[in-house]
């Protein structure tokens, strides 16, 4: 029986490792929460919101992303937001996710840290119970804010540290190098948390080096611009460093001007442990499955490439080793069942 590319990827067990939960706020839910919470939106209707999603760089996106997050106010809002994402991940054939949340986006406007975290944790428990998904939560610091602000957030997070798998670093990259947060990341590492940083999305290869050498990251989020530096690229290969790459995000934020120019095929050919992820799917026009399928079509990913990407999504995850091995065995079994991949 022949299957389509989309069916093939759908059935492939896979994890999403780069997803901002605030970036899954669909315009429909934005309007629903605005009505529920009495928030006035600067858009006439849902179509007007979608029309506004035309970005020429990261900052233009971030401005709308932070504005959209204003409708998130109660524990139930955060729960509903995350459940909508989990249902979508499940529908895409995803089985595990490690998701970022940006507490400062919410505490800055008076929403208690507890409201955000408890809403997300209750959704994670529900997704596990009802959809069989596993999920790790990553506290991400906003790099355009100060180190002091990050430390204040870190202290607020103290009662929930056991609930997080790691800390991340996101927001406006250029001008805010990883080294700005060396001390708070060191504390997080000392507490046994994994450490991640967005680097090389818009920032130079030097930021990727800093993420490695100063923050001692366990994963690099994006990492595209590392390819400009052959020595750095070779090091990432040698160290088996996972890159959480987000092709449709790269297209929407003009990191690449055409998906056919996306470096994913090259990354795999070089032996980089690249993964495919959706970043902020409500803003970038596609969830996990869309990212795989659009990238496969645009750059010509093979059956072996797609299997490698699915494998990388587990070997690069923070799941226990036994669980990673179990998922890799499932991928092997799936690959054996589909020796010819899909029908073009
Ligand atoms: N916050 C949400 N998405 C982001 C991205 N792609 N880069 C930096 N910060 C972000
Ligand atoms: Zn991101």
């Amino acid at each position: 029986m022949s299957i389509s590319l989309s069916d093939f990827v759908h059935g492939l067990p896979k994890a999403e490792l780069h997803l901002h939960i605030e970036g899954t706020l669909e315009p429909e839910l934005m309007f629903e929460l605005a009505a529920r919470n009495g928030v006035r939106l600067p858009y006439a209707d849902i179509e007007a919101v979608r029309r506004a999603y035309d970005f020429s760089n990261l900052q233009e996106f971030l401005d709308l992303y932070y504005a959209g997050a204003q409708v998130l106010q109660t524990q139930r809002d955060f729960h509903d937001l995350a459940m909508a994402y989990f249902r979508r991940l499940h529908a895409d054939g995803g089985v595990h996710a490690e998701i970022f949340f940006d507490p400062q986006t919410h505490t800055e406007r008076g929403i208690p840290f507890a409201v955000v975290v408890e809403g997300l944790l209750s959704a994670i428990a529900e997704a596990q119970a009802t959809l069989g998904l596993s999920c790790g939560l990553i506290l991400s610091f906003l790099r355009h804010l100060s180190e002091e602000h990050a430390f204040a957030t870190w202290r607020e997070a103290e009662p929930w540290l056991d609930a997080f798998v790691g800390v991340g670093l996101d927001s406006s990259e250029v001008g805010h190098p990883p080294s700005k947060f060396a001390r708070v990341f060191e504390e997080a590492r000392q507490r046994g948390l994994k450490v991640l940083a967005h680097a090389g999305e818009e920032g130079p290869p030097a930021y990727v080096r800093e993420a490695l050498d100063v923050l001692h990251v366990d994963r690099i989020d994006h990492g595209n611009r590392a390819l400009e530096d052959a020595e750095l690229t070779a090091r990432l290969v040698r160290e088996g460093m996972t890159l959480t790459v987000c092709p449709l995000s790269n297209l929407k934020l003009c990191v690449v001007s055409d998906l056919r120019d996306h470096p994913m095929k090259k990354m795999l050919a070089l032996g980089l442990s690249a993964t495919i992820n959706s970043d902020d799917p409500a803003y970038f026009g596609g969830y996990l499955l869309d990212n795989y399928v659009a990238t496969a079509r645009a750059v010509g990913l093979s059956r072996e490439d797609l299997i490698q990407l699915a494998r990388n999504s587990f070997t690069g995850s923070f799941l226990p080793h036994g669980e990673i091995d179990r998922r890799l065995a499932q991928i092997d079994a799936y690959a054996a069942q589909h020796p010819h991949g899909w029908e073009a």
Side-chain angles (χ1 to χ4, degrees):
M1 193 190 67
S2 70
I3 59 170
S4 67
L5 167 62
S6 179
D7 292 339
F8 178 76
V9 177
H10 181 272
L12 199 51
K14 53 201 172 297
E16 173 138 76
L17 303 181
H18 185 156
L19 182 284
H20 302 265
I21 200 63
E22 293 88 349
T24 68
L25 179 61
E26 290 287 346
E28 288 79 3
L29 185 58
M30 192 189 290
F31 269 87
E32 191 182 319
L33 297 185
R36 194 151 98 186
N37 295 324
V39 175
R40 267 184 64 86
L41 288 172
Y43 305 105
D45 53 30
I46 286 164
E47 275 319 302
V49 183
R50 288 224 158 82
R51 275 196 301 278
Y53 293 171
D54 181 22
F55 315 113
S56 49
N57 55 42
L58 174 59
Q59 193 59 52
E60 287 185 13
F61 153 68
L62 289 170
D63 291 344
L64 290 198
Y65 162 87
Y66 295 129
Q70 310 263 337
V71 301
L72 296 162
Q73 304 215 339
T74 67
Q75 197 166 313
R76 182 176 155 214
D77 297 342
F78 287 94
H79 175 99
D80 291 352
L81 175 73
M83 272 315 294
Y85 165 67
F86 291 134
R87 281 191 286 271
R88 187 58 202 255
L89 179 68
H90 183 66
D92 278 4
V95 297
H96 175 70
E98 292 172 6
I99 66 174
F100 297 110
F101 76 110
D102 292 338
Q104 289 155 298
T105 300
H106 314 298
T107 54
E108 276 270 88
R109 55 192 177 84
I111 310 295
F113 193 98
V115 163
V116 181
V117 185
E118 292 298 338
L120 296 176
L121 289 175
S122 70
I124 289 172
E126 185 177 329
Q128 171 110 52
T130 62
L131 302 171
L133 294 178
S134 53
C135 181
L137 199 50
I138 303 166
L139 185 172
S140 199
F141 296 109
L142 298 182
R143 69 204 303 159
H144 68 274
L145 300 177
S146 66
E147 183 200 32
E148 194 185 350
H149 204 304
F151 264 116
T153 302
W154 174 245
R155 283 191 287 274
E156 269 189 286
E158 177 75 40
W160 290 277
L161 290 189
D162 290 345
F164 305 140
V165 292
V167 297
L169 187 64
D170 65 2
S171 193
S172 323
E173 187 181 4
V174 175
H176 304 284
S179 52
K180 179 175 166 185
F181 298 94
R183 290 182 292 188
V184 68
F185 272 66
E186 178 60 22
E187 277 205 25
R189 277 198 323 118
Q190 295 297 337
R191 287 293 299 254
L193 289 175
K194 300 288 187 186
V195 161
L196 306 85
H198 283 54
E201 181 184 21
E202 285 190 345
Y207 283 23
V208 178
R209 283 185 194 280
E210 273 195 11
L212 297 171
D213 294 330
V214 181
L215 301 187
H216 306 286
V217 291
D218 296 283
R219 280 200 305 248
I220 296 279
D221 295 309
H222 296 292
N224 301 48
R225 289 198 58 197
L227 294 182
E228 294 168 21
D229 180 330
E231 200 277 325
L232 175 62
T233 303
R235 174 178 175 191
L236 292 169
V237 173
R238 207 167 51 240
E239 294 181 1
M241 180 58 60
T242 296
L243 305 183
T244 65
V245 183
C246 306
L248 290 177
S249 163
N250 292 159
L251 180 64
K252 283 292 272 186
L253 299 186
C254 305
V255 170
V256 295
S257 51
D258 189 304
L259 204 54
R260 286 171 296 190
D261 300 329
H262 196 278
M264 179 53 74
K265 183 91 183 169
K266 183 175 171 199
M267 287 172 160
L268 294 172
L270 288 165
L272 285 162
S273 296
T275 59
I276 285 187
N277 308 274
S278 69
D279 205 4
D280 302 284
Y283 292 85
F284 302 149
Y287 284 76
L288 187 60
L289 182 59
D290 302 318
N291 271 272
Y292 270 84
V293 170
T295 310
R297 291 211 172 102
V299 305
L301 297 179
S302 66
R303 169 184 174 277
E304 288 68 31
D305 290 334
L306 291 169
I307 291 167
Q308 186 66 50
L309 284 162
R311 292 182 67 85
N312 294 349
S313 77
F314 292 106
T315 54
S317 76
F318 302 138
L319 284 165
H321 293 299
E323 185 60 13
I324 294 174
D325 290 344
R326 189 173 77 84
R327 292 300 186 188
L328 294 180
Q330 286 178 348
I331 293 173
D332 289 345
Y334 185 79
Q337 281 162 14
H338 298 90
H340 307 298
W342 62 92
E343 196 81 352

